[in-house]
Every structure is written in structure tokens, then in C-alpha cells.
């Protein structure tokens, strides 16, 4: 039996996926992105950071942006929004600037649902992106996202410190049985970020996680999320 997302996850309206870095959105929610896009929904990707010289050279920056474009086209993404904050250096940026950048994006997209990185991720860019997503989504606004889910990112979420940082314990599961192959294909588009198993950023690890999350709810494949907020 096929299930649509429950009332806890809005089944209509735009979806905004916040990615601290290009490929986080595919690792954490690629199957869900493909599923929603296939159902005719607008799916927007907000990539918070991009490589900046001299830490990243021009060729590397061009390569990753081209990989993201190819992956998003395969998933059916409506639009990719680059905020262009410096990668691996968000802590050095004024936090108010990040709040303002994400706030502008949330107002532009007016999402019913936001998928954001988990605050327990080891990478500080992920933690700050999550916090600013919440600031941008505060419910005192006239229009705000009703539902926020946090996704897991292999190579970030799995390296947190047990009992010391927030644990990723999923309580929302989205069936991606029909789109897991699309997710894997999109991940392969990020050729510069794909590593051989048993690395976490491998095709085998990504498929294994989808199988595990699916088995938890008796589905062939799923993605797990932590419900941050929902207003019904």
C-alpha cells in the first residue's frame, strides 16, 4: 500500500531544502526531493555556502556548481538558490547576515515545508545554517513555514558526540522506494564528492542507510527526519 505524507508533512505548497554545502541536500533528502518533484510540487534548494578563493580554486568551484546543476536537474528541482556565503567559514561571518540571507530566501519561496540540516551535525556550517533557518522561519511573521524537518547527512550527522550533542533520532519517515535510485543517480553526479566504500560518502553507504531507514517502517527504502515543528 502506498501512503502519501501525513498531515504532519504538508502535501501541497512549495518545499525548501536548506543545504549548508552542495550535495548535503542529496545526501540527506535526495529521495524526498525526487518524490515531491515527481508529485508536481515546487522544490527549491537553498545552498548556503560556496567555495571561495584562496581556500578553493576556480576550477573546483566551477566543477561543484556544475555537479549541483546536473544533480538538481535529475531530481526535478524547480530552482537552485546560491546564497554564496564562504564554505567552511560561516562562523567568521556576521550571524545577522546569515539570518538576513536565509530570511530573504524564505520570504521569496514562501515554503509550506522546510528541510534543514540537523543541529547535531559535526560541521559548524550545518549548525549555523540550522539556527538561521529557525530565525528565518519564526512564526510571528504573517506568512511562515508550517513544518520544519531536520535531515541527516552522512559524514556529518553520524560523527556527532554521543550524549554531548543532539542525537539524530528520526520520528518522521518518508518512503522513497520509488525514488531511491534517482537519489543515488543524483549523488553520482557529484563525482568530486563520491568515495569508494566503506567511506560514508559512497553509493553503498547511502543505499544502506536508505534500506535501514526503510526497514524501520517496513518499506524498501526511506529517509528519516526529526520533526522540529508543525502547525496543523
Amino acid at each position: 500500500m502506498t501512503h502519501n505524507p501525513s498531515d504532519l508533512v504538508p502535501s501541497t505548497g512549495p518545499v525548501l531544502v536548506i543545504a549548508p554545502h552542495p550535495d548535503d541536500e542529496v545526501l540527506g533528502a535526495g529521495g524526498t526531493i525526487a518524490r515531491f518533484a515527481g508529485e508536481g510540487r515546487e522544490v527549491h534548494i537553498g545552498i548556503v555556502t560556496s567555495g571561495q578563493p584562496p581556500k578553493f580554486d576556480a576550477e573546483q568551484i566551477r566543477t561543484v556548481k556544475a555537479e549541483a546543476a546536473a544533480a538538481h536537474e535529475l531530481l526535478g528541482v524547480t530552482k537552485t538558490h546560491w546564497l554564496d556565503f564562504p564554505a567552511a567559514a560561516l562562523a567568521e561571518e556576521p550571524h545577522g547576515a546569515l539570518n538576513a540571507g536565509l530570511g530573504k530566501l524564505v520570504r521569496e519561496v514562501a515554503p509550506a515545508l522546510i528541510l534543514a540540516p540537523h543541529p547535531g551535525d559535526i560541521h559548524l556550517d550545518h549548525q549555523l545554517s540550522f539556527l538561521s533557518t529557525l530565525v528565518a522561519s519564526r512564526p510571528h511573521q504573517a506568512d511562515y513555514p508550517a513544518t520544519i524537518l531536520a535531515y541527516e547527512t552522512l559524514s556529518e550527522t553520524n560523527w556527532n558526540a554521543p550524549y554531548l550533542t543532539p542525537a539524530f533520532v528520526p520520528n518522521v519517515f518518508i518512503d522513497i522506494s520509488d525514488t531511491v535510485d534517482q537519489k543515488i543517480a543524483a549523488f553520482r553526479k557529484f563525482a568530486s564528492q563520491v568515495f569508494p566504500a566503506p567511506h560514508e560518502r559512497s553509493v553503498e553507504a547511502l543505499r544502506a542507510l536508505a534500506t535501514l531507514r526503510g526497514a524501520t517502517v517496513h518499506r524498501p527504502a526511506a529517509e528519516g527526519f526529526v520533526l522540529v515543528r508543525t502547525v496543523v
Side-chain angles (χ1 to χ4, degrees), residues 30-182:
T32 297
I33 292 168
R35 173 175 171 170
F36 286 160
E39 293 170 350
R41 297 182 69 173
E42 279 189 30
V43 181
H44 295 255
I45 309 296
I47 300 180
V48 177
T49 70
S50 58
Q52 307 284 341
K55 186 177 293 186
F56 301 89
D57 62 56
E59 182 59 30
Q60 188 178 10
I61 295 167
R62 282 194 298 268
T63 295
V64 171
K65 287 203 170 187
E67 289 173 344
H72 294 176
E73 181 179 7
L74 193 154
L75 293 174
V77 169
T78 304
K79 184 176 180 180
T80 303
H81 308 258
W82 291 86
L83 277 65
D84 287 327
F85 287 93
L90 272 187
E92 299 164 27
E93 292 290 302
H95 193 57
L98 181 58
N99 291 345
L102 280 167
K104 181 175 182 292
L105 178 60
V106 169
R107 289 191 298 275
E108 177 184 339
V109 175
L113 169 66
I114 286 184
L115 308 181
H118 189 259
D121 289 1
I122 195 171
H123 202 307
L124 195 54
D125 283 359
H126 286 231
Q127 298 170 27
L128 293 172
S129 295
F130 173 82
L131 291 174
S132 288
T133 297
L134 290 193
V135 171
S137 305
R138 287 179 294 194
H140 64 65
Q141 304 167 90
D143 190 18
Y144 62 90
T147 303
I148 302 173
L149 301 176
Y151 61 81
E152 61 184 324
T153 307
L154 276 174
S155 77
E156 303 294 353
T157 315
N158 53 302
W159 283 110
N160 64 3
Y163 309 109
L164 300 178
T165 53
F168 184 85
V169 183
N171 54 7
V172 175
F173 297 84
I174 295 181
D175 188 340
I176 62 165
S177 303
D178 294 333
T179 57
V180 64
D181 290 338
Q182 217 172 329

Side-chain angles (χ1 to χ4, degrees), residues 4 6 23 25 36 98 110 117 123 157 200:
N4 290 320
S6 71
D23 86 350
E25 73 288 359
F36 286 160
L98 181 58
H123 202 307
T157 315
E200 313 102 303

